[in-house]
Amino acid sequence: MMENKEFQQKIADLLPDIVLKFAQPMAKHTSFRIGGPAKVLAFPKSPEQLRQVLKVSAFLDKKYRILGAGTNVLAPDEGIEDIVICLKDCLDGMEQIDDTHIRVAAGVTMTRAAVYAAGLGLGGMEFAHGIPGTVGGGVYMNAGAYGGEICQICQSVDVMYPDGEIRTYSGEQMDFSYRHSRLEEDGGIVLSAVFALEKKSEQQIREQMQDLLKRRKTSQPLDLPSAGSAFKRPVGGYAAALIDQSGLKGFRVGDAAVSEKHAGFVVNLGNATAADVRHLLQSVSDKVFEDSGIRLEPEMRIW
């Protein structure tokens, strides 16, 4: 294995135009505030720069991981040897295509996209206001909240593959299902998405977004680091209700805890480790299965 300094110089020489950071704690790049140092983080500012990073990753025989806003990720305590490609605020930009369609780059946050649509008097993205991740991550996992999902508004997606090829898929071709898209299997990286919206009163849109934000603040532990909903919604029930019924609100492993405010959230009380969170997730899943016969599966991405 190359020594770190040698590797850093090698990748810096190969990617002279791309912002790189070395040995950065993933705790600084995830909403959970958990994770050891990443060997290298790359911040490509365009699809062409992303293609360059993918090409260099292959040349160096290094795996890579795609990071958006880091709001749905549990990074490992020991750090990451793979190249972490950060797209938030890098693949940036929004444009109105016609009266009811907008194109949004993958690194734009869901909240920014919803506010942009509202300013154009376009409704349909209200549910996304307050979802903390990026559009790329939202499309990748078909993010949703309060009855809305990306699949309901996604008309098309531009996707880059590891070999640098770009393909465009319709919403139907994305094979969306609950917290899932085709990209989970085929390794594609979202570059941008076109959303089909509807003309609506800007005031009405903003009032609805404020109402949803108020509901979030009232019901969710937004004052503590977390990765959002810890578990996927199971068939035949709701994760938070099942966890609550098992008496697990406040259950702790180290500084990782089931939120007292919303049982569907796992929060970092200060110094939680990834090991703490993994242990807690398994313990909660086992207890709920014992009590209800329903097996909860993590919604967060465990690296």
Side-chain angles (χ1 to χ4, degrees):
M1 182 187 289
M2 255 187 257
E3 291 296 329
N4 278 347
K5 285 187 178 179
E6 186 183 348
F7 172 78
Q8 291 174 10
Q9 188 60 56
K10 179 81 168 176
I11 196 167
D13 289 343
L14 290 168
L15 297 170
D17 301 324
I18 295 172
V19 175
L20 302 171
K21 294 184 180 180
F22 301 103
Q24 284 263 316
M26 287 303 297
K28 289 185 175 181
H29 296 274
T30 61
S31 60
F32 233 146
R33 301 291 178 259
I34 292 173
K39 192 167 188 178
V40 58
L41 291 95
F43 298 83
K45 296 286 187 181
S46 67
E48 182 50 43
Q49 286 198 350
L50 173 60
R51 185 182 281 114
Q52 290 174 35
V53 178
L54 297 176
K55 185 176 180 180
V56 167
S57 298
F59 175 72
L60 296 176
D61 197 25
K62 293 286 288 184
K63 294 181 180 178
Y64 63 83
R65 296 175 185 266
I66 302 297
L67 185 73
T71 56
N72 196 42
V73 171
L74 177 64
D77 300 315
E78 60 272 21
I80 298 174
E81 287 288 313
D82 304 340
I83 295 173
V84 178
I85 303 174
C86 306
L87 300 185
K88 180 179 180 289
D89 300 330
C90 291
L91 293 188
D92 198 11
M94 296 179 280
E95 63 173 337
Q96 184 174 11
I97 298 172
D98 57 32
D99 284 351
T100 56
H101 293 79
I102 62 173
R103 184 189 309 277
V104 185
V108 174
T109 65
M110 298 278 280
T111 294
R112 268 184 68 204
V115 169
Y116 176 74
L120 297 172
L122 294 176
M125 286 201 79
E126 291 90 337
F127 73 90
H129 186 254
I131 293 179
T134 59
V135 165
V139 170
Y140 181 88
M141 67 171 290
N142 188 24
Y146 298 110
E149 287 184 306
I150 286 290
C151 63
Q152 297 166 357
I153 58 172
C154 185
Q155 176 165 301
S156 66
V157 185
D158 286 342
V159 177
M160 183 177 287
Y161 284 88
D163 62 0
E165 179 188 359
I166 295 175
R167 300 179 202 168
T168 300
Y169 296 113
S170 68
E172 291 77 18
Q173 290 173 320
M174 285 294 291
D175 295 336
F176 287 121
S177 58
Y178 178 70
R179 301 298 177 265
H180 174 271
S181 76
R182 67 177 295 155
L183 305 182
E184 301 217 26
E185 283 79 44
D186 72 13
I189 303 164
V190 177
L191 298 177
S192 65
V194 173
F195 297 125
L197 306 174
E198 58 185 358
K199 284 289 188 182
K200 199 171 174 182
S201 155
E202 181 178 348
Q203 181 180 350
Q204 187 180 355
I205 295 169
R206 291 189 183 279
E207 285 175 356
Q208 186 175 351
M209 291 196 306
Q210 286 303 311
D211 177 60
L212 293 179
L213 187 59
K214 185 177 179 181
R215 288 168 64 181
R216 282 180 184 279
K217 288 180 176 177
T218 301
S219 64
Q220 298 178 7
L222 302 182
D223 57 325
L224 291 169
S226 78
S229 296
F231 294 98
K232 294 178 181 179
R233 185 178 67 231
V235 175
Y238 289 91
L242 290 166
I243 294 166
D244 197 6
Q245 288 162 16
S246 287
L248 292 171
K249 267 190 175 180
F251 173 68
R252 288 180 64 167
V253 175
D255 262 4
V258 176
S259 170
E260 295 273 10
K261 192 171 187 179
H262 189 309
F265 282 65
V266 172
V267 295
N268 179 356
L269 297 177
N271 295 298
T273 65
D276 291 339
V277 175
R278 289 196 302 269
H279 184 178
L280 183 143
L281 293 174
Q282 188 62 56
S283 297
V284 169
S285 180
D286 289 346
K287 176 65 173 156
V288 168
F289 182 72
E290 180 185 317
D291 292 346
S292 68
I294 296 174
R295 174 63 72 181
L296 297 181
E297 297 179 7
E299 181 170 311
M300 68 183 76
R301 307 301 156 129
I302 299 173
W303 282 13

